[in-house]
Amino acid sequence: MQRLKLLLKNEAFGGVLLIIATFCALWIENTSYSEYYRNFIDLSVGFKVGEFELFKPFLLWINDGLIAIFFFAIGLELKQEFAEGEFKKNPKSIVLPLSAALGGIIVPALIFALINFENAYTLKGWAIPTATDTAFALAILIMVGKSLPSSLKIFLLSLAIFDDVGAILIIAIFYTSELSALALVVASLCIASLFVLNWLNITRKSLYFICSLVLWLSVLKSGVHATLAGIITALFIPLYTKKGEPFLEHINENLKFSLYFIILPLFAFANAGVNLSKIDMSSIFSGVSLGIFLGLFVGKQVGVFIFSYISIKLKLAKLPEGANFKQLYGVCILTGIGFTMSLFIDGLAYEVSDIFHYADNFAILMASFCSGIFGFIYLKFFASK
């Protein structure tokens, strides 16, 4: 029992579960059990109250609902960092992860756009290679061992925060459908209610849960992607109770188990099922697949490193304490692990379509796999102390 508790507290174990969930999905989808897998993710689930009804395939409940909890956790981390974390203590420390995140968005997007600029439909996927799966990248960084300075882990986590904020902004601006005025009004009222709760420093979790649930439903119906409800709610969570007890940190800690051991593995399992037999070999070398693979495996590491290098050389930022440029580059390689977040944006861009015969999903898996393996080997054998 004690060993199990220690295992569950190990940050790398969450990444291992993601790997297991991925291989399980791939195995099931490519065996005689694939029908059960498809029935599972396509199962229509929902409810009806009066004239209001909401029915979606289980896959979309995961991608629209459970993943909103992930962005809620990101919002909590972001608020804590700016309110009393390293960003508050040393504002200059923001520059390096922020510039790195910008490079990790701009360069991969440009690579994808250059390859697909002639086709307006395929160009919709330009944001797919801009994402990083933090849980995977962090797990591999921890697996490398203590030969790397701990400051690199802090850099990766800080980079991930800005990377996820970038993903949220991209979703809000570029992947929003037709807007519903009524739903937006309801969402605005929910945000106003959250503001009042925060202003009065009310720390009853049930009130925040009700407001966030109505906010999620209204955002879902508004045409804006529902994941935004997660980070908006997080920004209104009070740091402390009136008695001075940590409130936000307590919620964040309680979320970690379900997030890393249930939500993200379930997300990976539901999205990673690629039927390899259905992949058209000619599609593997299509503009979409090449744009995704080169954007993630090449564009991410190059963009993150170049923007980091420039900000350090211009003395706008400093290298992570105790680290050198070789080690920093190794972490940049790991940012090419797009996996769950790239699969998520892929579903938004092409509306969960198999028009590319799963070659786009396959490209995400291959780029993430190559980034993970190459990053581990480089950090373990060429960049460690």
Side-chain angles (χ1 to χ4, degrees):
M1 184 60 71
Q2 189 64 29
R3 288 185 178 181
L4 179 61
K5 288 181 179 178
L6 289 173
L7 186 64
L8 294 178
K9 287 183 178 179
N10 191 326
E11 293 169 290
F13 187 61
V16 172
L17 278 182
L18 282 177
I19 296 171
I20 293 172
T22 301
F23 279 104
C24 282
L26 284 169
W27 176 75
I28 294 173
E29 178 64 1
N30 289 277
T31 63
S32 57
Y33 299 105
S34 62
E35 182 181 350
Y36 299 105
Y37 175 81
R38 284 290 142 195
N39 289 338
F40 168 69
I41 63 174
D42 292 335
L43 178 67
S44 182
V45 180
F47 60 91
K48 182 177 181 180
V49 180
E51 293 185 1
F52 179 87
E53 64 176 49
L54 185 62
F55 285 89
K56 285 177 172 286
F58 190 56
L59 174 64
L60 292 184
W61 277 106
I62 294 170
N63 291 352
D64 290 343
L66 290 184
I67 208 66
I69 300 174
F70 169 73
F71 282 110
F72 173 69
I74 293 298
L76 293 177
E77 295 277 358
L78 183 67
K79 180 170 182 176
Q80 192 159 26
E81 280 297 319
F82 276 102
E84 54 183 17
E86 188 61 29
F87 295 160
K88 168 75 172 179
K89 297 172 186 175
N90 180 18
K92 196 175 180 180
S93 63
I94 299 173
V95 176
L96 184 61
L98 177 58
S99 57
L102 285 173
I105 292 172
I106 293 171
V107 176
L110 283 175
I111 289 176
F112 187 95
L114 286 172
I115 295 174
N116 293 276
F117 74 95
E118 292 182 344
N119 189 317
Y121 181 76
T122 59
L123 195 57
K124 289 169 63 178
W126 65 268
I128 297 171
T130 65
T132 296
D133 190 312
T134 312
F136 255 123
L138 183 60
I140 293 175
L141 187 62
I142 293 172
M143 288 175 188
V144 173
K146 297 181 179 179
S147 57
L148 297 174
S150 59
S151 59
L152 288 175
K153 175 185 167 185
I154 297 170
F155 166 72
L156 179 60
L157 289 172
S158 302
L159 165 62
I161 290 173
F162 290 111
D163 192 270
D164 288 326
V165 170
I168 291 166
L169 292 174
I170 288 170
I171 291 167
I173 298 170
F174 298 100
Y175 296 109
T176 294
S177 56
E178 293 183 10
L179 299 178
S180 166
L182 177 60
L184 287 174
V185 169
V186 175
S188 300
L189 291 173
C190 290
I191 294 171
S193 301
L194 288 169
F195 173 80
V196 172
L197 290 173
N198 179 270
W199 182 56
L200 297 175
N201 200 34
I202 295 173
T203 51
R204 288 186 62 181
K205 293 178 184 177
S206 58
L207 294 176
Y208 287 97
F209 175 76
I210 292 169
C211 283
S212 62
L213 182 60
V214 178
L215 176 63
W216 178 80
L217 286 169
S218 57
V219 173
L220 182 68
K221 287 292 187 178
S222 71
V224 180
H225 201 271
T227 50
L228 294 176
I231 196 165
I232 290 171
T233 302
L235 297 178
F236 289 102
I237 300 295
L239 289 170
Y240 297 96
T241 65
K242 290 178 180 178
K243 295 180 179 179
E245 298 170 345
F247 184 67
L248 182 146
E249 185 179 350
H250 179 69
I251 293 175
N252 199 18
E253 287 299 319
N254 288 341
L255 268 179
K256 284 184 177 179
F257 177 84
S258 57
L259 187 65
Y260 288 105
F261 300 106
I262 300 174
I263 293 173
L264 289 179
L266 184 58
F267 179 82
F269 180 77
N271 286 276
V274 177
N275 193 320
L276 302 179
S277 65
K278 292 182 179 179
I279 296 176
D280 183 354
M281 293 306 294
S282 62
S283 298
I284 292 178
F285 300 101
S286 66
V288 170
S289 296
L290 286 176
I292 291 172
F293 184 84
L294 294 177
L296 276 173
F297 184 57
V298 178
K300 264 301 213 183
Q301 59 179 282
V302 170
V304 171
F305 182 75
I306 288 179
F307 275 60
S308 299
Y309 183 85
I310 291 172
S311 64
I312 292 169
K313 287 299 179 181
L314 292 177
K315 301 189 184 302
L316 299 174
K318 293 182 180 179
L319 265 169
E321 188 176 350
N324 55 43
F325 278 111
K326 285 177 65 178
Q327 294 167 336
L328 181 68
Y329 182 67
V331 176
C332 295
I333 297 172
L334 296 181
T335 62
I337 305 174
F339 190 47
T340 54
M341 290 309 300
S342 291
L343 288 170
F344 178 58
I345 296 176
D346 182 273
L348 295 178
Y350 302 123
E351 300 173 351
V352 201
S353 170
D354 61 350
I355 189 171
F356 303 112
H357 306 288
Y358 300 104
D360 48 343
N361 291 37
F362 184 70
I364 292 170
L365 294 176
M366 286 305 299
S368 300
F369 177 78
C370 291
S371 296
I373 295 296
F374 180 46
F376 177 81
I377 293 172
Y378 178 86
L379 284 168
K380 187 73 175 177
F381 301 105
F382 300 102
S384 59
K385 289 183 180 178

